[in-house]
Amino acid sequence: MKLKSWLKANEIKVIDFAKSIGVTKQAVYKWLELSAFPRHHVLGKILKATNGDVTPVDFMRVEYEQDVRSTEELRP
């Protein structure tokens, strides 16, 4: 589950979530926009705070079209 969806479903404000895991609200906003990836030591805090609903994989952005093109370029 994406963090944004989890926060909304649980009616938790970004500032409150940030405080609960010891980061700034700006950091959380960057994660929500997928413009930054949480640091390794913070991923565990997120996993614990969300009871496992938000995992490291949920922060990954997949560029499907680019991946398909790259795969096609590798074909003989």
Side-chain angles (χ1 to χ4, degrees), residues 8-63:
K8 186 175 181 178
N10 290 280
E11 299 179 353
I12 298 175
K13 294 180 181 179
V14 169
I15 186 74
D16 295 330
F17 183 73
K19 285 181 182 178
S20 76
I21 61 169
V23 300
T24 65
K25 66 180 180 181
Q26 291 85 354
V28 177
Y29 280 119
K30 287 180 181 180
W31 305 336
L32 295 176
E33 297 168 359
L34 299 178
S35 64
F37 193 84
R39 294 182 185 267
H40 179 73
H41 71 280
V42 176
L43 288 171
K45 292 179 181 183
I46 294 168
L47 192 63
K48 185 175 180 180
T50 63
N51 293 317
D53 289 337
V54 179
T55 68
V57 173
D58 297 317
F59 292 97
M60 301 178 107
R61 182 167 71 180
V62 177
E63 300 292 341

